[in-house]
Amino acid sequence: MSIADNLNNIKASLPTDITLVAVSKTKPVSDLQEAYQAGQRIFGENKIQEMAEKYEVLPKDIQWHMIGHVQRNKVKYMAPFVSLIHGVDSFKLLEEIDKQAKKNNRIIPCLLQMFIAKEDTKFGLDNQELIEILESEAFKQLRNIEIHGLMGMATFTDDQEIVRQEFTALKQTFDSIKEKYCALSSLKLTTISMGMSNDYTLAIECGSTMVRIGSSIFGHRNY
Ligand SMILES: *Cc1c(COP(=O)(O)O)cnc(C)c1O
């Protein structure tokens, strides 16, 4: 099966209100071009330098999503063009994104990454840390970021019940902050980014609005 076939099959299986991020990390530009020609416009990368290199050579109507862990000192390389940063997991990072967005005279949409898995290898905030950020005065001063929602990664396991519980917990957190903080102007809560190749159907059942799919489109990655 070609990349275009894979993409079309996945798109056909997604409800129309679900946004598909094609995760193209480690893949050559030619693979992204094939997906682009099949109509895909949103690509996800997890390394800033790789994303910037691909941005340079590919069509400018692509929306670039940073889905990986972000180092503060590298934010400046993507600030001119990134369209959504999924992995924001600290206030310091948010401050740096705000600063670089300001330099570029723009507002950068972000998702706060929540720690939902039962593994200690994954990044993210717990509910307490999330609330501390949203309620802090310093957060209210940021003018060049917008929080569009939450992102999470479930435990890597075959146990569907565990994955379901984790996705459901993320959806509940989203619903509660949406209700509680609706007056904050920098919150535009529309997006729950959860679900990858192995678990996106379950993620959608649990309330995902944005899925990040790599290997089911582009094939397995060789690191
Ligand atoms: C690599 C990656 C994905 C895509 O994973 P697949 O299993 O290939 O679909 C999704 N989200 C994040 C954060 C990733 O790093």
Side-chain angles (χ1 to χ4, degrees), residues 93-106:
L93 176 57
L94 206 52
E95 262 184 319
E96 176 63 16
I97 295 168
D98 184 74
K99 180 176 145 192
Q100 297 299 333
K102 193 170 192 166
K103 277 191 187 164
N104 286 277
N105 201 16
R106 61 181 296 237

Side-chain angles (χ1 to χ4, degrees), residues 128-141:
Q128 182 63 34
E129 292 166 326
L130 172 67
I131 287 167
E132 273 167 26
I133 290 178
L134 298 180
E135 294 193 348
S136 72
E137 276 311 309
F139 174 71
K140 289 172 191 139
Q141 304 307 317

Side-chain angles (χ1 to χ4, degrees), residues 149-150 170-178 189-192:
L150 303 179
L170 186 62
K171 162 74 169 151
Q172 283 167 351
T173 302
F174 177 87
D175 288 344
S176 75
I177 62 166
K178 188 167 168 150
L189 296 178
T190 55
T191 303
I192 306 177

